[in-house]
Amino acid sequence: MARTLVLGVIGADVHAVGNQILNYAFQDAGFHVVNLGVMVSQEEFIEAAVESAADAIIVSSLYGHGELDCQGFREKCDEAGLKGILLYVGGNIVVGKQPFEEVEQRFLKMGFDRVFGPGTPPEAGIRALNEDLSGDRRCGRSC
Amino acid sequence: MARTLVLGVIGADVHAVGNQILNYAFQDAGFHVVNLGVMVSQEEFIEAAVESAADAIIVSSLYGHGELDCQGFREKCDEAGLKGILLYVGGNIVVGKQPFEEVEQRFLKMGFDRVFGPGTPPEAGIRALNEDLSGDRRCGRSC
Amino acid sequence: MELSNKKWPLDFFMSQRQEVLKTWPTGADVDLDEAIGYQKGIPLDRRFVTKLNEAQKSRKTLVQPRAGVPLISEHIALLSHLEKEGEADLLPTTIDSYTRLNRYEDAQRGIDESKATGKAMLNGFPAVNHGITGCRMVTSALQTPVQVRHGTPDARLLSEITLAGGFTSFEGGGISYNIPYAKNAPMKETLYNWQYCDRLVGLYEDAGISVNREPFGPLTGTLVPPCVSNAVAIIETLLAAEQGVRNITVGYGQCGNLIQDVAAIRILEKQTNEYLERFGYKDVTISTVLHQWMGGFPQDEAKAFAVICWGSSVAALANATKVIVKSPHEALGVPTKEANAAGLRATKQMITMLADQSLDDGGRLEEEMSVIREETSCILERTLELGEGDVALGTVRAFEAGVIDVPFAPSRYNAGKIMPARDNNGAVRLLDAGNLPLNEKLLRFHRGKIHQRAEAENRGVSFQMVIDDIYAISKGRLVGRPH
Amino acid sequence: MELSNKKWPLDFFMSQRQEVLKTWPTGADVDLDEAIGYQKGIPLDRRFVTKLNEAQKSRKTLVQPRAGVPLISEHIALLSHLEKEGEADLLPTTIDSYTRLNRYEDAQRGIDESKATGKAMLNGFPAVNHGITGCRMVTSALQTPVQVRHGTPDARLLSEITLAGGFTSFEGGGISYNIPYAKNAPMKETLYNWQYCDRLVGLYEDAGISVNREPFGPLTGTLVPPCVSNAVAIIETLLAAEQGVRNITVGYGQCGNLIQDVAAIRILEKQTNEYLERFGYKDVTISTVLHQWMGGFPQDEAKAFAVICWGSSVAALANATKVIVKSPHEALGVPTKEANAAGLRATKQMITMLADQSLDDGGRLEEEMSVIREETSCILERTLELGEGDVALGTVRAFEAGVIDVPFAPSRYNAGKIMPARDNNGAVRLLDAGNLPLNEKLLRFHRGKIHQRAEAENRGVSFQMVIDDIYAISKGRLVGRPH
Ligand code: B12
Ligand code: B12
């Protein structure tokens, strides 16, 4: 059965191009995608994930405010009963050119399972999803 | 009375453009210039300086071998009776982009009175000459 | 008041104004008479319009960066750096994304966290939060005129504060700051809100203060066909002129094909002036701006320099009045001031090096100009028809009908039916024209061009072509060919 | 033997060869049969000619750096870096200036001091001193074909050692490696010495080994009028073809004006083929190379990128077969491998980005092509006349008479009477045509162009214009205008 992903661009971010391509690529790779488009709040992500019984939430952030927009996301997921749901974030997630390792650490600490740097091709995300969702149970951050 | 300069590009260096411009600019500034052109050996510089009773020898080096080509120049001047003659060097005098201060130190140590970095405009040379030759005696490295 | 392209009565504007200024505390400080007095004190050579007019007269291309950081002193330091080390002819103040969406509380959080962490946590300068005093600190610290650059669907308060704050140019428009920058803003509403901004600029003009306005040309920056962006620029010019704006820079985002880009800029200027004349707007001065490549950039800095330089060549060869500059950090994040200045210097070198050349007026250029002119006419005439002669109303209906349609736009008020792709020479054409009201001849032209490419690539026409084209520049190509 | 454009008899060549190989100990190792055997072992895809032919067929422009350091392992590391990080399509080995003047003892001193100080004390790779073994270590370490690039008036020993050393292309010629690179080398002598090199290449060709030759197009790199460099390239092509060379890349150094540069490259290829045909040389394949700006560079790296990128655009729009690349360190010194690779990557991005575009065949391009063609004909026909039909003899006499004249050349065998300057659009014209045998119509054309500029600048025609033009690019302009 096809795995379900909730996809969207978080916060006040309107970068729509990458989102449309991810949507296309993830579907092409056999996922069921609930695409929320741009300007998606944490609440909208979570609501959609609950409704669709999603296996993963894929957050994009391009415009630089990702760090502000993602604060507390994992906690909100937990509260909403999405404990252990797979949480990815990718794009230009901080302001400016910063060493990726540091940025990655900060977002891992926030509770994201994987963090992808600027210009990551969709294939990298698909590969990771296939790995992380390969078991026959949901496989969140705990495994 | 016009001061006399011996001008040339040292070694196996054929960069002729800057030399032609320096020749023009120094004459324009009122100097008497003995221009030896390109590919000038230390001996040729010294011979011309002796013959013309020059006030200064202006060495250009563009092609990168300046450091090899200039070794022992001051000593040869001394031997030829040109003790204290003003000795300038300028251009792209070493191989590669190197910190100018270090390069300058190396050439000052070799006995040059002034060292000019890549792309120095002729006016800077003229200003320096006017300063260094302003007394009514020859004013070499000793003053 | 119903939306229509009619100059707002002064008392109506003033009553709206009361409300607008209340939407955030710093609004209370704006006093129009005081603001006009302050603007009168700004020397002519620090005004945007002066520089643009001079450049146009001498056919020079001016160089302008994008730049904005959250804190005032850092922002001044940044702009000073770009002025000195970047040799910028014109300066920007790029507004952060929260302010653009009137989320001033979030902007405040960004200011506070930036102060606390010592890192810029906002992607621009939150001018509303910093208020008139903050803005004046910025604009008075510089020798070079400063423009507000943003992407704000409702910029009424922002325009009030920044114009009172000494900025002499204001970017944006009801379409160009809606469709690429918003998801849920009805066209009716943003056109209306931008009439407010234009009316405000008109009031400054009435008082003898010349303020430059600039519709945002590139829209989504991604394979936007020239006819679409030119049509939008012309509409926003007409709307602005009606409200009393007198100095407008129409813009265009580089598509990548030299002939198409030069043609687009040249015909944009021409056609804008023609429409202004047709509708009886006199004394409006039109200049042009080319935006260096607005789509995805290569990550490598040397390669990014090439993209920057190619945009600069096009701006020079097209004799654009100014060029908006990218930095070698584009693909990665908001640039450091050094990277930004490096982009500027590369651009400056290119522009001045090519100052004495322009593109040959050969056959292909003329041809491309007449194609764009005809396409743009089709769109504009249908828009006017839909609006029963009123361009504001027509615009709302044109977007509903997909008669104007911007590719890859986030807005739900955009049809999103057209699909652009490059032809075999890299010019942007229509793989699917959606509901654009192009005539049969033009549609055949586009189909032919796309098929020519498909044949050359030995593959069918498909969405994969579009995807390949989107990635192409960042992977070092213009046309996204299959491997 | 008297100089004439006649293929050298084999035994005469062989007797000369004995002497040549004795001029430095490493010469003794060269055995022609063994060398041919070694060259036969080099896979086709690592040969210069293969890459050039492929590129020409697919109208691609290949990218090649300049690079050379004194020590073998460092040189290999450098070239590997340019291959991988620079994405170079073709590689060079730039020879140091002592070797170029056959001063092998000085080169040895440079090698020794480089080892001792850990700093590169030579401006290139001393191939003769390193001998066949050293050369083979280099050429076999790389996937990409490698060319010898130098500036050697007497390159006989160098050609022997490097061809035996596995290089598959050899730059230079009797004029182009004399006039810009020597002070006291008689033209007679260098033509003669280069007949040797060409005859050697011809022997490899006879054995089925295809070796590319490349006259050095840019000459002094400083305001060289296209007709002068094109005439020289065509003469060297004829001389090489006579000795049995079969694959030649004719070159041109970017002057800066787009139309003139594209015209020059296009007509160069055409006219070279025409002269080859006229003199009955069949089966000679001609490709073209554009050298990015060869004059003084700006020191600022961002600005240097712009100069590099402009050259790349011109190469792409002219469809040159390859482009020789500068680095952002150009104004300062021999580049680090990182700077060199950055120049390459910027060039690659530009070239591939513009791969699908070429310049419009508009009126100005045609006009410029016909001007250059006519000028070049004037020079070549007068040269042939002076040589009583023999182009080698004619060349010697043409230089004596100033019929061929290279501006700013160090050689005393060059008249140095012409004075070039830019016209109002930046094209290089003749302020003083010296003794160039241009017809009255052409002379009037040049005078007119220069006067047009003088008028635009409101100053008289003078040497100051030339000086201003020499500095212009490094100061960010193409035309050196007064302030
Ligand atoms: C086009 C563009 C725009 C267009 C967007 C049009 C639209 N509505 O879509 C316009 C002009 C409107 C625009 C506006 C702005 N932009 Co913008 N924009 C770009 C640009 C040039 C290209 C983006 C793009 O479309 N790329 C092509 C797509 C295919 O790639 P992508 O977006 O990167 O997405 C791919 C990958 O990132 C990855 N990915 C994304 N998410 C995820 C998640 C996972 C899990 C995985 C595996 C992968 C993945 O897959 C996607 C598909 O391949 C980028 C710079 C760049 N990349 O070159 C700047 C950029 C993103 N923008 C930026 C900024 C700051 C802005 C503005 C604030 C204006 C400004 N200050 O300049 C506004 C923001 C408005 C807002 N509220 O969001 C910055 C962000 C800075 C930062 N993070 O530090 C960038 C990086 C430019 C820069 N260097 O300054 N922009
Ligand atoms: C044109 C040029 C050539 C032409 C020269 C034609 C000719 N015969 O004149 C050609 C193509 C033939 C050539 C050949 C070579 N060149 Co060359 N060339 C240049 C280039 C691009 C411009 C030089 C120029 O004409 N500038 C314009 C004039 C007006 O400026 P200028 O020469 O700098 O001179 C001014 C100032 O320096 C100053 N000045 C000079 N001397 C003095 C002295 C004093 C006291 C003062 C006050 C001022 C002063 O005043 C002058 C007038 O304004 C430079 C790089 C650059 N600058 O951009 C490389 C450069 C000088 N060349 C270089 C090299 C290495 C070579 C070659 C070895 C080939 C190679 N490996 O690439 C050969 C050398 C041959 C030889 N035996 O000399 C290197 C030198 C590297 C280094 N020092 O580390 C440079 C810097 C390029 C580089 N970055 O690699 N070159």
Side-chain angles (χ1 to χ4, degrees):
Chain A
M1 215 199 64
R3 302 297 197 157
T4 298
L5 314 176
V6 169
L7 177 69
V9 186
I10 199 167
D13 194 336
V14 299
H15 289 90
V17 183
N19 170 264
Q20 294 183 27
I21 291 191
L22 285 179
N23 184 25
Y24 180 89
F26 287 150
Q27 291 189 17
D28 202 52
F31 293 97
H32 175 235
V33 182
V34 179
N35 186 15
L36 305 175
V38 304
M39 297 182 91
V40 182
S41 65
Q42 294 189 0
E43 291 71 20
E44 288 169 294
F45 272 110
I46 289 169
E47 206 173 297
V50 171
E51 267 177 29
S52 64
D55 301 276
I57 298 178
I58 313 289
V59 177
S60 292
S61 177
L62 284 309
Y63 72 154
H65 293 183
E67 208 163 347
L68 292 172
D69 293 334
C70 289
Q71 284 169 7
F73 199 167
R74 173 60 75 187
E75 291 71 19
K76 283 223 185 72
C77 286
D78 292 350
E79 286 165 23
L82 294 172
K83 238 184 155 67
I85 190 168
L86 199 59
L87 218 50
Y88 285 4
V89 65
N92 302 71
I93 57 180
V94 293
V95 175
K97 184 177 174 176
Q98 299 182 24
F100 180 66
E101 296 64 36
E102 294 172 20
V103 173
E104 189 179 22
Q105 280 314 313
R106 296 211 295 274
F107 279 81
L108 289 176
K109 236 179 243 153
M110 279 194 234
F112 286 87
D113 296 291
R114 299 220 193 207
V115 185
F116 299 86
T120 308
E123 297 73 47
I126 293 166
R127 228 180 357 259
L129 283 169
N130 284 333
E131 268 176 37
D132 294 349
L133 298 174
S134 66
D136 46 356
R137 317 153 295 114
R138 262 195 211 175
C139 170
R141 73 211 287 217
S142 44
C143 66
Chain B
M1 216 200 60
R3 301 298 196 158
T4 297
L5 314 175
V6 170
L7 177 68
V9 186
I10 199 166
D13 193 337
V14 299
H15 289 90
V17 183
N19 171 265
Q20 293 182 27
I21 292 190
L22 285 178
N23 184 25
Y24 180 90
F26 287 151
Q27 290 188 18
D28 203 53
F31 292 97
H32 174 234
V33 182
V34 180
N35 186 15
L36 305 174
V38 303
M39 297 183 90
V40 181
S41 65
Q42 294 189 1
E43 291 71 20
E44 288 170 295
F45 272 111
I46 289 168
E47 206 173 297
V50 171
E51 266 178 28
S52 65
D55 299 276
I57 298 179
I58 312 291
V59 177
S60 291
S61 177
L62 284 310
Y63 72 153
H65 293 184
E67 208 163 344
L68 292 171
D69 293 333
C70 288
Q71 283 169 8
F73 199 168
R74 171 60 73 188
E75 291 70 18
K76 284 224 184 71
C77 286
D78 291 351
E79 285 165 24
L82 293 173
K83 241 186 152 62
I85 191 168
L86 200 59
L87 218 48
Y88 285 4
V89 63
N92 301 71
I93 57 180
V94 292
V95 176
K97 184 177 172 177
Q98 299 181 26
F100 180 66
E101 295 65 36
E102 293 172 20
V103 173
E104 189 179 22
Q105 281 312 313
R106 297 211 295 275
F107 278 82
L108 288 177
K109 237 181 243 152
M110 278 193 235
F112 286 87
D113 296 292
R114 297 214 193 213
V115 185
F116 299 87
T120 308
E123 297 74 48
I126 292 166
R127 225 176 5 253
L129 283 168
N130 283 335
E131 267 175 37
D132 294 349
L133 296 174
S134 65
D136 46 356
R137 313 155 296 113
R138 262 196 212 175
C139 168
R141 73 212 287 216
S142 45
C143 65
Chain C
M1 206 172 72
E2 270 299 289
L3 177 73
S4 76
N5 185 29
K6 283 274 133 42
K7 187 166 186 173
W8 285 16
L10 187 58
D11 51 355
F12 176 75
F13 172 79
M14 286 302 179
S15 71
Q16 295 289 302
R17 202 166 177 262
Q18 300 308 316
E19 302 309 310
V20 167
L21 295 181
K22 279 185 207 144
T23 51
W24 189 253
T26 50
D29 300 336
V30 187
D31 170 334
L32 195 53
D33 290 331
E34 190 274 343
I36 285 172
Y38 183 80
Q39 279 269 3
K40 281 209 168 125
I42 299 174
L44 274 187
D45 65 337
R46 292 202 194 176
R47 301 199 70 86
F48 232 76
V49 167
T50 317
K51 292 270 167 148
L52 288 172
N53 289 348
E54 278 172 12
Q56 230 180 351
K57 208 174 291 164
S58 54
R59 287 175 76 75
K60 265 182 64 174
T61 301
L62 303 174
V63 166
Q64 183 181 11
R66 292 190 177 79
V69 286
L71 307 179
I72 295 172
S73 57
E74 271 83 347
H75 187 59
I76 293 174
L78 168 59
L79 295 188
S80 305
H81 184 84
L82 300 180
E83 187 176 57
K84 282 199 210 73
E85 303 303 320
E87 308 169 20
D89 299 309
L90 299 169
L91 286 173
T93 286
T94 299
I95 306 300
D96 71 287
S97 290
Y98 290 141
T99 301
R100 292 169 184 218
L101 291 161
N102 315 97
R103 290 165 55 171
Y104 309 121
E105 291 90 351
D106 286 332
Q108 195 56 50
R109 190 158 61 97
I111 295 175
D112 297 343
E113 290 222 11
S114 300
K115 281 186 187 152
T117 63
K119 268 190 306 210
M121 299 295 283
L122 295 175
N123 58 14
F125 181 80
V128 168
N129 292 59
H130 289 313
I132 294 187
T133 329
C135 289
R136 288 186 181 172
M137 283 170 70
V138 171
T139 53
S140 64
L142 302 150
Q143 303 298 317
T144 308
V146 199
Q147 179 188 40
V148 187
R149 301 189 69 85
H150 44 133
T152 311
D154 175 3
R156 292 174 299 169
L157 181 59
L158 182 67
S159 64
E160 288 280 4
I161 286 178
T162 53
L163 292 184
F167 289 90
T168 55
S169 172
F170 197 74
E171 198 195 25
I175 307 165
S176 62
Y177 269 9
N178 173 347
I179 300 300
Y181 285 103
K183 185 175 175 178
N184 290 318
M187 183 58 68
K188 224 181 207 130
E189 210 173 286
T190 55
L191 289 179
Y192 187 88
N193 288 338
W194 275 89
Q195 285 183 323
Y196 180 102
C197 300
D198 285 329
R199 189 67 178 86
L200 176 64
V201 169
L203 285 180
Y204 278 91
E205 288 283 355
D206 293 346
I209 310 259
S210 185
V211 172
N212 172 255
R213 285 274 293 109
E214 178 186 337
F216 175 64
L219 303 174
T220 52
T222 306
L223 300 175
V224 180
C227 62
V228 172
S229 51
N230 281 11
V232 169
I234 292 172
I235 292 174
E236 292 193 355
T237 298
L238 294 174
L239 295 171
E242 174 66 25
Q243 302 301 326
V245 172
R246 290 284 163 268
N247 191 288
I248 298 173
T249 306
V250 283
Y252 170 78
Q254 177 191 24
C255 280
N257 174 285
L258 176 62
I259 306 278
Q260 184 175 46
D261 287 336
V262 172
I265 280 274
R266 295 229 179 122
I267 197 66
L268 172 59
E269 181 172 9
K270 225 174 142 128
Q271 226 172 349
T272 304
N273 278 311
E274 287 168 8
Y275 273 92
L276 280 171
E277 195 173 331
R278 169 162 151 200
F279 287 97
Y281 301 113
K282 309 242 186 295
D283 308 324
V284 181
T285 304
I286 299 297
S287 48
T288 57
V289 52
L290 182 125
H291 294 249
Q292 292 175 356
W293 179 246
M294 289 293 289
F297 252 66
Q299 297 204 2
D300 177 69
E301 297 193 13
K303 295 185 171 193
F305 269 118
V307 179
I308 288 169
C309 289
W310 180 231
S312 312
S313 327
V314 173
L317 293 174
N319 287 114
T321 319
K322 68 173 188 176
V323 56
I324 301 285
V325 174
K326 291 265 173 161
S327 91
H329 282 183
E330 177 63 14
L332 295 167
V334 170
T336 58
K337 61 182 193 299
E338 289 79 15
N340 210 334
L344 281 165
R345 288 198 304 275
T347 300
K348 194 59 162 285
Q349 174 78 21
M350 198 59 118
I351 291 288
T352 51
M353 209 161 52
L354 301 195
D356 306 304
Q357 301 179 52
S358 53
L359 201 66
D360 208 351
D361 297 325
R364 266 165 43 201
L365 183 62
E366 296 294 336
E367 194 187 302
E368 199 63 50
M369 279 172 69
S370 83
V371 168
I372 302 173
R373 173 201 281 280
E374 197 174 339
E375 294 168 340
T376 309
S377 281
C378 287
I379 296 175
L380 289 175
E381 294 309 318
R382 185 81 190 103
T383 300
L384 284 164
E385 232 174 271
L386 288 172
E388 294 149 69
D390 185 289
V391 71
L393 258 179
T395 299
V396 175
R397 294 175 183 161
F399 270 93
E400 280 166 8
V403 159
I404 309 177
D405 193 351
V406 178
F408 309 106
S411 169
R412 56 183 49 146
Y413 294 92
N414 182 71
K417 287 202 172 143
I418 71 168
M419 191 132 59
R422 295 192 184 280
D423 70 15
N424 210 34
N425 301 116
V428 172
R429 308 294 179 195
L430 290 159
L431 189 151
D432 185 337
N435 292 341
L436 291 191
L438 304 187
N439 60 37
E440 191 44 47
K441 188 185 81 187
L442 288 168
L443 291 174
R444 229 180 306 120
F445 173 80
H446 282 274
R447 271 197 301 272
K449 288 287 186 185
I450 297 285
H451 274 103
Q452 194 182 11
R453 166 176 171 192
E455 247 166 57
E457 292 177 357
N458 205 6
R459 61 167 166 175
V461 171
S462 77
F463 185 57
Q464 190 57 45
M465 251 181 198
V466 185
I467 294 188
D468 292 344
D469 284 350
I470 288 174
Y471 285 127
I473 287 268
S474 67
K475 292 185 174 169
R477 305 276 320 192
L478 181 58
V479 184
R481 311 275 190 200
H483 309 292
Chain D
M1 206 172 72
E2 268 302 288
L3 177 74
S4 75
N5 185 29
K6 283 273 134 38
K7 188 167 184 171
W8 284 17
L10 186 60
D11 53 353
F12 176 74
F13 172 78
M14 286 302 179
S15 72
Q16 296 289 301
R17 203 166 175 263
Q18 301 307 321
E19 303 309 310
V20 168
L21 296 181
K22 279 184 207 143
T23 51
W24 189 251
T26 52
D29 300 335
V30 187
D31 170 335
L32 195 53
D33 291 331
E34 190 274 343
I36 285 172
Y38 183 82
Q39 280 268 2
K40 279 206 170 130
I42 299 173
L44 274 186
D45 65 336
R46 292 202 195 176
R47 300 199 70 86
F48 232 78
V49 167
T50 317
K51 293 271 167 148
L52 289 172
N53 288 350
E54 279 172 14
Q56 230 181 349
K57 207 174 292 163
S58 54
R59 286 176 77 74
K60 266 182 63 176
T61 301
L62 304 174
V63 166
Q64 183 181 9
R66 290 190 179 80
V69 287
L71 305 179
I72 295 172
S73 56
E74 271 84 347
H75 187 59
I76 293 174
L78 169 59
L79 295 188
S80 305
H81 184 85
L82 300 180
E83 188 176 57
K84 283 198 211 72
E85 303 303 319
E87 306 167 20
D89 299 309
L90 300 168
L91 286 173
T93 286
T94 300
I95 307 299
D96 72 287
S97 291
Y98 290 141
T99 301
R100 292 169 184 219
L101 291 162
N102 316 95
R103 289 166 55 171
Y104 309 121
E105 291 91 352
D106 286 331
Q108 197 54 51
R109 190 156 60 97
I111 295 175
D112 298 343
E113 291 223 10
S114 300
K115 282 185 187 155
T117 61
K119 268 189 306 208
M121 299 295 282
L122 294 176
N123 58 15
F125 181 79
V128 168
N129 292 59
H130 289 313
I132 295 187
T133 328
C135 288
R136 289 185 182 175
M137 285 171 68
V138 172
T139 54
S140 64
L142 302 151
Q143 304 298 317
T144 308
V146 200
Q147 179 188 41
V148 187
R149 302 189 68 86
H150 43 134
T152 312
D154 176 3
R156 292 174 300 170
L157 182 59
L158 182 68
S159 64
E160 289 279 5
I161 287 177
T162 52
L163 292 185
F167 289 89
T168 56
S169 172
F170 197 75
E171 198 196 24
I175 306 166
S176 62
Y177 270 8
N178 173 346
I179 301 300
Y181 285 103
K183 185 175 174 179
N184 289 319
M187 182 58 67
K188 227 183 204 126
E189 211 173 286
T190 54
L191 290 179
Y192 188 86
N193 288 338
W194 276 88
Q195 285 183 324
Y196 180 101
C197 301
D198 285 330
R199 190 68 178 86
L200 177 64
V201 170
L203 285 180
Y204 278 90
E205 288 282 355
D206 292 346
I209 310 261
S210 185
V211 172
N212 172 254
R213 284 273 293 111
E214 179 187 337
F216 175 64
L219 303 173
T220 50
T222 306
L223 299 175
V224 180
C227 62
V228 171
S229 51
N230 281 12
V232 169
I234 292 172
I235 291 173
E236 292 193 356
T237 298
L238 294 174
L239 294 170
E242 174 65 25
Q243 301 301 325
V245 172
R246 290 286 163 267
N247 190 287
I248 298 173
T249 306
V250 284
Y252 170 78
Q254 176 190 25
C255 280
N257 174 285
L258 176 62
I259 306 279
Q260 184 176 45
D261 287 336
V262 173
I265 281 274
R266 296 231 177 121
I267 197 66
L268 172 59
E269 182 172 10
K270 226 175 141 123
Q271 224 171 352
T272 304
N273 278 310
E274 287 169 6
Y275 272 93
L276 280 171
E277 194 173 334
R278 169 162 152 201
F279 286 98
Y281 300 112
K282 309 240 187 295
D283 308 324
V284 181
T285 305
I286 298 297
S287 48
T288 55
V289 52
L290 182 125
H291 295 248
Q292 292 175 357
W293 179 246
M294 289 292 290
F297 253 67
Q299 298 204 0
D300 177 68
E301 296 193 15
K303 295 185 171 192
F305 270 118
V307 179
I308 288 169
C309 290
W310 180 231
S312 312
S313 327
V314 173
L317 294 173
N319 286 114
T321 320
K322 67 172 188 175
V323 56
I324 302 284
V325 174
K326 292 266 173 160
S327 90
H329 282 182
E330 176 64 15
L332 294 167
V334 170
T336 58
K337 62 180 190 304
E338 290 78 17
N340 211 334
L344 281 166
R345 287 198 306 275
T347 300
K348 195 56 162 287
Q349 173 78 22
M350 198 59 120
I351 292 287
T352 52
M353 208 161 54
L354 300 196
D356 306 304
Q357 302 180 53
S358 55
L359 201 66
D360 206 350
D361 297 326
R364 265 165 41 200
L365 183 63
E366 297 294 334
E367 193 188 303
E368 199 64 48
M369 278 172 69
S370 84
V371 167
I372 301 172
R373 173 201 281 280
E374 195 173 342
E375 294 167 342
T376 308
S377 281
C378 287
I379 295 175
L380 289 175
E381 295 309 318
R382 184 85 190 99
T383 299
L384 285 164
E385 232 174 270
L386 287 172
E388 293 149 72
D390 186 288
V391 71
L393 258 179
T395 301
V396 175
R397 293 176 186 161
F399 270 94
E400 281 167 9
V403 160
I404 310 177
D405 194 352
V406 178
F408 310 107
S411 168
R412 56 182 50 147
Y413 295 91
N414 182 71
K417 287 202 172 144
I418 71 168
M419 191 132 57
R422 294 191 184 280
D423 72 13
N424 209 34
N425 301 115
V428 172
R429 308 292 179 196
L430 289 158
L431 189 151
D432 186 335
N435 292 341
L436 291 190
L438 305 188
N439 60 37
E440 189 46 45
K441 189 185 79 187
L442 288 167
L443 291 174
R444 227 178 309 119
F445 172 81
H446 283 274
R447 270 197 300 272
K449 288 287 186 185
I450 298 284
H451 274 104
Q452 194 182 12
R453 168 178 169 188
E455 244 165 56
E457 291 177 357
N458 206 5
R459 61 168 165 175
V461 171
S462 77
F463 186 57
Q464 190 57 44
M465 254 183 198
V466 186
I467 296 187
D468 292 344
D469 284 350
I470 288 173
Y471 285 128
I473 287 269
S474 67
K475 293 186 174 168
R477 305 277 319 192
L478 182 59
V479 184
R481 311 276 190 198
H483 309 289

